[in-house]
Amino acid sequence: MARLSIEHLRKVYGEFTAVDDCSIDIADGEFLVLLGPSGCGKTTTLRMVAGFIQPTAGKITIGERDVTTLPPWKRNCGLVFQSYALFPHMTVAENVAFGLEMRKIAPADRAPRVTEALRLVRLTGLDERYPRQLSGGQQQRVALARALAIEPDVLLLDEPLSNLDAKLRQEVRVEIRDLQRKLGLTTIMVTHDQEEALTMADRLVVMEKGMVRQIGTQRELYEKPADRFVAGFIGRSAFLDGAMAEAGRFRSGGGLDISCKATASGPATLALRPERLAIGADAEACANRFPARVEHVSYLGALLDIDVRLTEQDRILLQVPNRPGAAEPKPGDMITIGWAEDAGLVYPREAKA
Amino acid sequence: MSAARLSLGRLALNGAATLSLGFILLPLFFVFWLAFFRQEIPSFPPEGYSLKWFQAAANNKPFVDGFLLSLQVGVSATLIGLVLGVPASLALMRHRIALGPAINTLLLLPLVMPGIVLGTSLYVFQIETEIATGLPVLGSAGGLVAAHSLVVIPWVVKLVTASLAGFDRTIEEAAQNLGAGPWTTFRRVTLPSIRPGLVAGSLFGFVTSFGNLEMSLFLVGPGRTTLPIAILQYLEWKIDPTVAAASVIQIVLIGAAMIITDRYVKLSRVV
Ligand SMILES: Nc1ncnc2c1ncn2[C@@H]1O[C@H](COP(=O)(O)OP(=O)(O)OP(=O)(O)O)[C@@H](O)[C@H]1O
Ligand SMILES: [Mg+2]
């Protein structure tokens, strides 16, 4: 177990930059999740740490060891593959023992460690089975046990749960997390399942187009998204395009004057979390209040999702509590919506090519 | 009515299958039968049965020597074919090599080239090599083995590339991740996965080499005769059932090899 540091990592394929200037520090025992849309470079980053892809530039340090140029078999990273990659011609016990064998551990000393690894993943008694005789969930656990048995400095998980059904995924999620805490394993997990990322991570890294957009805790990412991409990617946001009229005043494309806590200038985008918006009487006390036409209402039990239009160009999504007895807005209704000054986050607008 | 037609169709199919099987098996059947005839000149019906031709075959020195030479050449050629064919298959399947498909076709060529053509060209090549290097090549054991490797390689390449095609390379990465270097990874993970292709390729390669007549005719030296050539030479003088007995022994040995192999590797699945 060790801390892992990735500095200015970069991978270029011909003309295409798959990972660009990626720097991440992972503390000893921390569970870090790499999150991002498909093709953003998560797997590439993970495989560079494992040693299967040679970085174009940058440095990877595990503990005190600079491993940047070490081959995979000298890195002591436990990697769990998305497809599990169990050895089909070896039994469960042989699979788990393989890494120990490679470390020249005597057969007599391997057995208890294999048993212990299988006990950790709750697979006791299946030692003599072959991978094809196991369910998907059991195979996944063998893959995990095999990675844990070598007592890796870092544990790397590439979408380890994506081949499991929803219910099993919930269970294994908790199990992996408990195990990781118990063993104090420094871990990087890749996923594009946001819920999975939010429930498991100590900290998250949001990537897009090969670049790290933001690193932080769930709360930091949700409440202080670093840019418009993160604001839209983590949770939901409504966006109003416009420009800063002066410090603290944003003017939307549809001409609304909105007060906000921003000092930027020039073209900008205002991001609003749906649940920070209020309607009707609740909106009375808000700094920003506007009339709006209801376009669409979704009933979600305790909550209502309401799409409203403020002007021709300005549309917003609201999420409000569904109070028993209160009249439910209907499409076509005119209502008043409002939000506090600090609810709107302003991001400079990237010039459109 | 339609059931009747269906069963009629099935009958026709079964009939055709039986017929073609009979077509293949009939000559074999006659060879077996003939080997046990008592009289010297094969004629029907047989005058009686005897095992003396088997004894004659076993006591025929050219046959025994030929058998041993064919065995040695076959085994050596198969080993060389594996040593060259397996890395070639790996390279072809795993790396984008310039002219890869062309090389692949080239490696399979000795299998489809007529034996006479192959024999002639190797004959000329070996003579030229002898002239150029001054070393005895033509008629040497080495020259014969080298030529036979040529007909083993296509089988190895064909069957090993086929088993590599369905091979999941992430298990090699898994092995490396667990601390195995490239050679250990190959030995412990890759090799067991391509073993069916390896075994089947060796078997068919060996059988092809063992039975090769046309090419060997050009390349054998004095006092160095393979079994097929020994049989041919015998037939020039006599047509008694000794040859049938020798053939039966060969067929039984090859059949046994296939059955034993099939127990470990389902041949029908790899070929
Ligand atoms: N060998 C390669 N040659 C060229 N481009 C590649 C290569 N490998 C990956 N890429 C590209 O690099 C980008 C990042 O790939 P990567 O596999 O890291 O994505 P990812 O974030 O893991 O996506 P997903 O969530 O779909 O698994 C992709 O656009 C991919 O097309
Ligand atoms: Mg991926």
Side-chain angles (χ1 to χ4, degrees):
Chain A
M1 272 117 275
R3 95 180 241 281
L4 170 67
S5 139
I6 298 171
E7 292 162 66
H8 307 293
L9 203 61
R10 190 174 149 80
K11 180 66 197 177
V12 179
Y13 291 111
E15 299 275 281
F16 180 79
T17 306
V19 172
D20 199 2
D21 197 24
C22 172
S23 294
I24 309 171
D25 259 310
I26 305 154
D28 192 359
E30 186 176 27
F31 195 110
L32 189 94
V33 171
L34 286 185
L35 185 65
S38 190
C40 70
K42 307 181 292 288
T43 299
T44 307
T45 306
L46 201 72
R47 289 172 61 80
M48 284 195 277
V49 175
F52 292 115
I53 298 178
Q54 192 57 43
T56 310
K59 189 175 165 193
I60 303 167
T61 319
I62 298 175
E64 301 302 316
R65 287 191 304 154
D66 179 351
V67 300
T68 317
T69 55
L70 282 187
W73 53 91
K74 291 190 180 153
R75 293 207 180 188
N76 203 32
C77 294
L79 176 57
V80 175
F81 293 80
Q82 187 174 355
S83 60
Y84 314 143
L86 300 178
F87 307 127
H89 56 287
M90 296 186 200
T91 62
V92 167
E94 286 166 351
N95 264 279
V96 177
F98 187 84
L100 302 174
E101 201 186 325
M102 293 304 119
R103 281 162 180 70
K104 310 255 184 315
I105 290 166
D109 301 330
R110 279 179 227 158
R113 285 177 66 174
V114 170
T115 310
E116 172 61 11
L118 288 175
R119 190 189 62 75
L120 279 176
V121 298
R122 301 195 294 126
L123 276 184
T124 305
L126 297 185
D127 308 42
E128 296 312 315
R129 294 252 194 113
Y130 282 91
R132 61 174 180 279
Q133 300 168 321
L134 300 174
S135 73
Q138 289 168 332
Q139 290 180 23
Q140 203 274 346
R141 284 166 211 223
V142 176
L144 190 60
R146 189 174 66 176
L148 293 177
I150 61 170
E151 294 176 0
D153 291 329
V154 290
L155 181 65
L156 306 172
L157 309 163
D158 192 358
E159 309 208 26
L161 310 179
S162 62
N163 287 333
L164 305 179
D165 69 42
K167 188 170 171 298
L168 197 56
R169 194 149 43 194
Q170 297 274 359
E171 288 175 26
V172 178
R173 205 188 266 177
V174 176
E175 281 175 20
I176 290 184
R177 193 61 232 258
D178 284 350
L179 213 53
Q180 182 269 340
R181 276 212 189 94
K182 190 158 73 184
L183 303 175
L185 278 169
T186 309
T187 305
I188 305 184
M189 183 174 89
V190 161
T191 179
H192 51 226
D193 181 328
Q194 228 188 88
E195 195 193 325
E196 195 170 293
L198 294 172
T199 52
M200 293 178 79
D202 287 325
R203 271 191 316 153
L204 301 103
V205 177
V206 179
M207 293 182 70
E208 196 222 357
K209 294 193 186 129
M211 280 186 281
V212 171
R213 288 307 184 115
Q214 190 171 2
I215 303 179
T217 62
Q218 288 84 336
R219 184 179 292 273
E220 283 161 2
L221 293 185
Y222 192 80
E223 294 179 3
K224 296 192 185 66
D227 59 22
R228 190 199 144 125
F229 172 80
V230 178
F233 190 74
I234 302 289
R236 297 186 300 176
S237 288
F239 295 105
L240 297 178
D241 284 334
M244 291 302 291
E246 59 191 79
R249 188 145 295 275
F250 175 86
R251 176 174 279 266
S252 80
L256 301 174
D257 266 322
I258 299 167
S259 59
C260 60
K261 290 230 152 77
T263 51
S265 63
T269 299
L270 184 82
L272 288 164
R273 293 289 186 195
E275 72 281 0
R276 295 289 307 268
L277 299 160
I279 60 169
D282 296 340
E284 292 297 319
C286 295
N288 296 297
R289 251 175 305 140
F290 301 100
R293 181 184 303 279
V294 176
E295 297 217 309
H296 187 79
V297 181
S298 305
Y299 175 82
L300 303 174
L303 300 167
L304 292 177
D305 266 3
I306 310 173
D307 280 303
V308 300
R309 185 176 286 282
L310 300 168
T311 71
E312 202 49 47
Q313 288 153 54
D314 302 321
R315 290 182 60 187
I316 284 185
L317 173 71
L318 319 159
Q319 189 169 62
V320 296
N322 183 19
R323 299 221 177 86
E328 191 175 304
K330 281 179 288 298
D333 287 359
M334 288 301 294
I335 56 173
T336 303
I337 67 164
W339 63 88
E341 202 172 29
D342 63 357
L345 299 170
V346 174
Y347 301 105
R349 193 132 46 98
E350 290 124 37
K352 284 213 177 83
Chain B
M1 156 71 190
S2 83
R5 192 181 294 165
L6 203 72
S7 69
L8 212 68
R10 172 159 302 170
L11 214 65
L13 195 68
N14 285 343
T18 313
L19 216 66
S20 21
L21 201 63
F23 199 68
I24 296 168
L25 290 180
L26 208 61
L28 282 181
F29 169 77
F30 274 108
V31 168
F32 269 80
W33 196 16
L34 206 65
F36 295 93
F37 280 20
R38 185 174 334 132
Q39 76 269 36
E40 199 159 320
I41 307 296
S43 67
F44 293 91
E47 291 164 8
Y49 295 98
S50 132
L51 289 173
K52 66 176 171 188
W53 303 117
F54 285 94
Q55 204 178 0
N59 288 333
N60 184 317
K61 189 160 183 324
F63 281 10
V64 175
D65 290 349
F67 176 80
L68 291 178
L69 181 66
S70 286
L71 201 65
Q72 283 167 14
V73 170
V75 169
S76 320
T78 304
L79 289 178
I80 294 174
L82 284 173
V83 167
L84 296 177
V86 173
S89 312
L90 284 167
L92 283 170
M93 291 301 284
R94 303 215 155 157
H95 304 289
R96 213 173 298 152
I97 297 174
L99 299 179
I103 292 172
N104 201 357
T105 312
L106 204 67
L107 285 174
L108 299 181
L109 213 55
L111 208 60
V112 287
M113 185 125 62
I116 299 285
V117 177
L118 204 56
T120 318
S121 32
L122 282 169
Y123 179 73
V124 173
F125 174 72
Q126 296 199 351
I127 287 181
E128 293 291 333
T129 315
E130 243 179 62
I131 293 170
T133 60
L135 298 168
V137 178
L138 190 66
S140 71
L144 193 61
V145 168
H148 276 234
S149 312
L150 223 52
V151 295
V152 175
I153 289 172
W155 282 109
V156 173
V157 169
K158 203 166 136 72
L159 293 169
V160 171
T161 47
S163 50
L164 277 172
F167 177 67
D168 174 16
R169 289 203 69 188
T170 52
I171 69 169
E172 291 182 328
E173 292 185 345
Q176 300 196 342
N177 179 251
L178 293 166
W183 171 242
T184 311
T185 302
F186 177 73
R187 204 169 46 80
R188 296 290 308 275
V189 174
T190 318
L191 210 53
S193 305
I194 60 170
R195 202 168 51 198
L198 225 60
V199 170
S202 314
L203 181 68
F204 288 107
F206 174 77
V207 170
T208 309
S209 154
F210 193 84
N212 182 283
L213 172 67
E214 305 93 324
M215 187 182 74
S216 311
L217 272 176
F218 289 87
L219 306 174
V220 289
R224 198 172 273 130
T225 312
T226 62
L227 184 57
I229 296 177
I231 290 176
L232 187 73
Q233 285 171 348
Y234 186 85
L235 278 175
E236 284 175 17
W237 303 102
K238 281 185 178 168
I239 50 163
D240 68 31
T242 311
V243 169
S247 305
V248 167
I249 295 171
Q250 280 187 69
I251 292 167
V252 168
L253 286 179
I254 289 172
M258 287 187 94
I259 289 167
I260 292 168
T261 310
D262 198 60
R263 289 193 55 177
Y264 297 100
V265 183
K266 283 275 155 266
L267 290 177
S268 57
R269 237 186 280 161
V270 261
V271 182

